[in-house]
Amino acid sequence: ADPLMTETRSTDTETAGEPSHVVLGDARSGVIARRLRADGHTVAVVSETHDEEGGVTDPVTLADAGVGAAATVIVATRSDSRNLLVAQLVRVHFDVSRLLVLVNDPDRTTALAEAGHEPVCVASAVSESVVEEA
């Protein structure tokens, strides 16, 4: 599969071609997209590689994927610095309702929040879930 793939599937009543969510990232993006689709959302996915131009750092590619029309954009690469870069790019070039940014290192959550983004940290979510159940 092409690592810079853009995939859009309409699965709800929204206008075809205008996703409700755009997931920007790496291999994990597909997992997030499948879960959103299973919940009835329209989703576009833009994957990235470091070897090629385009992908998550190209405003034209992002616009073609529907970032401008998306209600929610999720930035989810394996690099916190790359996630911050892509989130800033989205914020500057597009007017989206919600911008979620994956945080891989819990110590960086505050910095992303202070930059005006909505951070999501898997490690923190798992540990909080364990503590709540104990």
Side-chain angles (χ1 to χ4, degrees), residues 54-134:
V56 299
T57 57
D58 179 16
V60 173
T61 300
L62 299 181
D64 288 348
V67 169
T72 301
V73 172
I74 302 159
V75 181
T77 74
R78 296 185 191 282
S79 165
D80 288 339
S81 60
R82 187 138 178 99
N83 288 345
L84 178 59
L85 170 76
V86 172
Q88 293 292 91
L89 184 142
V90 169
R91 184 166 307 286
V92 167
H93 290 280
F94 303 97
D95 182 26
V96 297
S97 300
R98 189 171 185 200
L99 181 59
L100 297 166
V101 183
L102 177 69
V103 180
N104 297 288
D105 181 344
D107 293 337
R108 297 184 181 131
T109 302
T110 302
L112 275 149
E114 289 174 353
H117 307 300
E118 187 175 343
V120 177
C121 179
V122 174
S124 295
V126 169
S127 65
E128 288 170 11
S129 178
V130 169
V131 169
E132 287 175 8
E133 289 183 19

Side-chain angles (χ1 to χ4, degrees), residues 6-89:
T6 301
E7 176 184 349
T8 306
R9 287 188 200 160
S10 295
T11 57
D12 61 7
T13 58
E14 294 195 55
T15 306
E18 292 185 6
S20 60
H21 296 72
V22 176
V23 183
L24 310 174
D26 53 27
R28 289 184 270 199
S29 303
V31 174
I32 296 167
R34 281 192 297 279
R35 185 68 184 263
L36 289 167
R37 286 185 185 119
D39 288 341
H41 300 282
T42 55
V43 181
V45 176
V46 180
S47 296
E48 56 100 22
T49 68
H50 300 287
D51 299 343
E52 307 210 16
E53 292 185 31
V56 299
T57 57
D58 179 16
V60 173
T61 300
L62 299 181
D64 288 348
V67 169
T72 301
V73 172
I74 302 159
V75 181
T77 74
R78 296 185 191 282
S79 165
D80 288 339
S81 60
R82 187 138 178 99
N83 288 345
L84 178 59
L85 170 76
V86 172
Q88 293 292 91
L89 184 142

